[in-house]
Amino acid sequence: MFLHALRRQRIPLARWSPARFIATKNVISDPMTGELMPSTPDIQPHRVEILRNANPATPPPAHTLVFGHTFTDHMLAIPWDAVSGWGTPEIKPYGPLQLEPSSTVLHYAQTIFEGMKAYRAEDGKVSLFRPDMNMKRFNSSARRLALPTFNGEALLDLIKHLIRIDQHWVPKEPGHSLYVRPTLIGTQKAIGVGPPNEALLFVIMSPVGPYYASGFKPVSLYGTTEYVRAAPGGTGAYKLGVNYAPGVLPQKSVAALGYSQNLWLHGPEHELTEVGTMNMFVVFSKDDGTIELVTPPLDGMILPGVTRDSVLTLAREHVSGKKRLQGLPDKLIVSERTVTMKEVKAAVAAGQLVEMFGAGTAAVISPVDRIGYMGEDVLIPTGEDGMGQISRPVWVELIGRQWGTIPSEWSVPVTE
Ligand SMILES: *Cc1c(COP(=O)(O)O)cnc(C)c1O
């Protein structure tokens, strides 16, 4: 749009932005659409330069770990600019970034992230869980913010290299893992709103304990209607930094009311969307004894979670008979459809709400026991130790595949 407007006014690109003018030397136009596309180098894993940390730390005892507080000895950094594309990848000591105050990330929130975990199996081998999904989503977030995209496999190669260098940071203790946090920021040193001509991709890693130290403590939710997390046509389906800062105040206000998370409701019918920063599932029973596992559809407001997809896939493989999960009912329906608070309340009243849970990489499965909604508490049944009849068998299979006790294609080896 902007470019067309400029052309119409015959303003030479050079006068508008010298940086972008230089960039046009390395821009080709798409033969199909005429759209300008960069022709610069992609991420090149073989060019990685490694600078070892001269003062490596000792990983702290597993039981002292607090989520996201401790980082490993090394980080990965890959610079990008519009003229020369992705630059030399560097694995170097974890440490502060140098940014100019004019960096666009600091003004317009040009920042996206991913979250995934490396797991250590009993035999000591380290693996990642479905990292291709994270690479795909990372690229989709980058595209949404007009940040540079990249070859996901090339980045994954470098992430594996980083993990191998810091592999003694992957905890051995049950339930513990190494949280991997890829981030991409716009670092253009000029405060114009536009696609940045410079960017920095970095990856840091943090050893983490189990989300719940003692069993599965169910969470209470507050049905939030006064704030929205995502809206149709908005950015809820992408892991953009800008989606999270506005959620902190609503989180604080529900905590003050004694609830642990926001249940983000959408529209006049109060459709359930997500729980805090997790996807959500509701399980209903029907008059004929059929059980239905429901999660809201990927309609642009829902973050396409890897855990969400894994829960759906495992449940569907059970139904199709590809892999039966012990404990799951035979008569199971798996649905991606809208659920409203009216339906949830009616099911609770009829004794037909089986369970409800959040799903995400950090907590894996997080049972829900209560929803504060329009001045009352809607009580949600939970299993004996929190997890219910559907979530437990799915969780058992899921963590088995994550830690490699159940072999699957989802587990991607990092070390030999
Ligand atoms: C990251 C995230 C999830 C969960 O995604 P996973 O890939 O399963 O970790 C769900 N909702 C939101 C808003 C998220 O940011």
Side-chain angles (χ1 to χ4, degrees):
M1 274 284 285
F2 196 30
L3 273 177
H4 286 300
L6 282 172
R7 274 196 211 108
R8 229 177 297 126
Q9 293 170 32
R10 295 179 195 283
I11 299 172
L13 272 175
R15 223 193 292 161
W16 169 51
S17 158
R20 226 157 260 132
F21 177 67
I22 297 164
T24 57
K25 279 194 215 159
N26 276 320
V27 165
I28 53 165
S29 104
D30 184 312
M32 298 292 285
T33 62
E35 204 183 324
L36 298 180
M37 297 193 334
S39 63
T40 52
D42 210 317
I43 292 178
Q44 297 166 79
H46 66 274
R47 285 181 54 202
V48 66
E49 286 176 5
I50 298 168
L51 178 63
R52 292 270 175 177
N53 192 328
N55 299 297
T58 305
H63 69 274
T64 64
L65 294 172
V66 180
F67 186 89
H69 279 241
T70 307
F71 294 93
T72 67
D73 292 325
H74 298 92
M75 65 187 285
L76 168 69
I78 319 171
W80 175 91
D81 70 65
V83 178
S84 40
W86 290 100
T88 307
E90 272 188 300
I91 292 177
K92 59 184 183 181
Y94 177 91
L97 304 175
Q98 271 207 329
L99 290 179
E100 302 235 353
S102 58
S103 296
T104 42
V105 60
L106 303 175
H107 302 267
Y108 312 121
Q110 288 172 328
T111 176
I112 66 171
F113 66 96
E114 269 305 321
M116 57 204 217
K117 284 175 172 175
Y119 305 87
R120 187 184 292 281
E122 263 171 37
D123 61 7
K125 288 181 187 165
V126 176
S127 62
L128 286 163
F129 183 71
R130 308 188 74 185
D132 53 309
M133 300 270 291
N134 297 90
M135 296 300 106
K136 232 188 258 167
R137 191 170 65 191
F138 202 23
N139 261 314
S140 129
S141 300
R143 207 169 292 119
R144 181 62 185 83
L145 285 198
L147 286 165
T149 55
F150 51 85
N151 180 327
E153 279 175 43
L155 177 58
L156 185 54
D157 254 17
L158 287 161
I159 291 175
K160 288 180 186 168
H161 199 143
L162 175 67
I163 297 171
R164 282 194 290 269
I165 286 180
D166 279 342
Q167 58 178 284
H168 58 290
W169 284 86
V170 186
K172 296 176 181 63
E173 291 74 8
H176 291 64
S177 54
L178 183 69
Y179 186 80
V180 180
R181 168 52 65 90
T183 309
L184 174 58
I185 59 176
T187 52
Q188 170 162 307
K189 304 176 188 73
I191 47 175
V193 181
N197 62 6
E198 286 183 69
L200 178 69
L201 192 162
F202 60 90
V203 182
I204 56 177
M205 309 195 294
S206 174
V208 295
Y211 208 71
Y212 299 109
S214 53
F216 291 90
K217 206 176 149 298
V219 295
S220 57
L221 308 179
Y222 181 84
T224 302
T225 52
E226 50 275 72
Y227 297 102
V228 294
R229 189 197 86 85
T235 57
Y238 308 93
K239 247 175 153 65
L240 315 183
V242 74
N243 289 343
Y244 300 84
V248 175
L249 181 65
Q251 161 67 35
K252 246 178 87 173
S253 54
V254 304
L257 296 172
Y259 298 91
S260 52
Q261 303 268 353
N262 295 88
L263 171 58
W264 302 107
L265 300 176
H266 169 71
E269 303 298 324
H270 293 172
E271 295 164 18
L272 286 71
T273 61
E274 295 203 54
V275 170
T277 58
M278 285 183 283
N279 293 118
M280 52 140 303
F281 286 82
V282 192
V283 181
F284 297 103
S285 65
K286 304 193 181 262
D287 292 333
D288 67 356
T290 307
I291 300 285
E292 189 191 15
L293 171 67
V294 187
T295 195
L298 299 179
D299 58 2
M301 284 187 288
I302 307 292
L303 195 289
V306 179
T307 318
R308 174 188 181 280
D309 184 81
S310 304
V311 168
L312 286 173
T313 303
L314 291 178
R316 285 178 175 141
E317 287 185 3
H318 171 81
V319 172
S320 73
K322 184 174 175 199
K323 179 160 187 191
R324 289 252 155 209
L325 299 187
Q326 208 191 345
L328 274 195
D330 287 338
K331 283 164 93 181
L332 180 68
I333 298 173
V334 183
S335 308
E336 290 175 77
R337 66 164 176 88
T338 299
V339 185
T340 64
M341 276 308 294
K342 191 174 159 197
E343 184 183 5
V344 167
K345 277 187 69 173
V348 168
Q352 294 190 327
L353 200 134
V354 178
E355 63 168 322
M356 183 168 164
F357 56 91
T361 295
V364 192
I365 300 285
S366 190
V368 172
D369 65 357
R370 183 164 69 103
I371 305 173
Y373 178 65
M374 311 281 280
E376 61 172 311
D377 267 353
V378 180
L379 299 180
I380 309 293
T382 54
E384 268 170 43
D385 56 352
M387 274 203 282
Q389 83 181 81
I390 304 303
S391 57
R392 174 162 288 280
V394 171
W395 174 79
V396 167
E397 177 75 16
L398 197 52
I399 63 159
R401 292 190 184 200
Q402 287 172 339
W403 263 273
T405 50
I406 301 174
S408 81
E409 295 168 358
W410 285 353
S411 183
V412 174
V414 175
T415 62
E416 291 309 314

